[in-house]
Amino acid sequence: LMLAPMLEWITPRGGGAPELDFVARLETIHHDWLEICRRIDVTVTLPHLNRTYHLPYAQYYDSATEAWVQDHYAADFEAFGYPRHLAR
């Protein structure tokens, strides 16, 4: 289940479109967190705990892994507007 595409988590069990009015993204989490707070009328700071430093994610993929990710998460790439190929 941990590797389940995001659409499986947010789509109703009977099918149909996701019933969301906002999707936060990790790559814009600071901006999106402000939007979440605005929507629920709170002011809360989002701490950055357990910060790690690592290489750009594309460097962890070989061609087989990239092909598996592209296939397994194809619907997510399309639904959320992400490019299907890694920027190298």
Side-chain angles (χ1 to χ4, degrees):
L1 199 62
M2 188 162 184
L3 296 176
M6 183 55 63
L7 284 177
E8 289 185 20
W9 290 92
I10 63 173
T11 303
R13 288 183 189 241
E19 297 176 353
L20 302 172
D21 58 4
F22 183 73
V23 175
R25 297 171 184 253
L26 286 177
E27 61 270 24
T28 55
I29 192 62
H30 297 293
H31 177 268
D32 292 351
W33 181 252
L34 295 174
E35 176 62 17
I36 291 166
C37 289
R38 186 192 68 76
R39 288 172 179 245
I40 61 174
D41 196 27
V42 299
T43 303
V44 179
T45 301
L46 182 65
H48 190 156
L49 304 175
N50 300 322
R51 183 182 301 255
T52 60
Y53 297 93
H54 51 81
L55 298 171
Y57 76 93
Q59 293 187 25
Y60 294 100
Y61 289 73
D62 60 18
S63 59
T65 305
E66 182 177 357
W68 182 88
V69 169
Q70 289 170 353
D71 180 60
H72 190 72
Y73 296 103
D76 283 353
F77 285 114
E78 183 167 333
F80 299 111
Y82 288 106
R84 290 194 51 154
H85 298 283
L86 297 175
R88 296 194 188 261

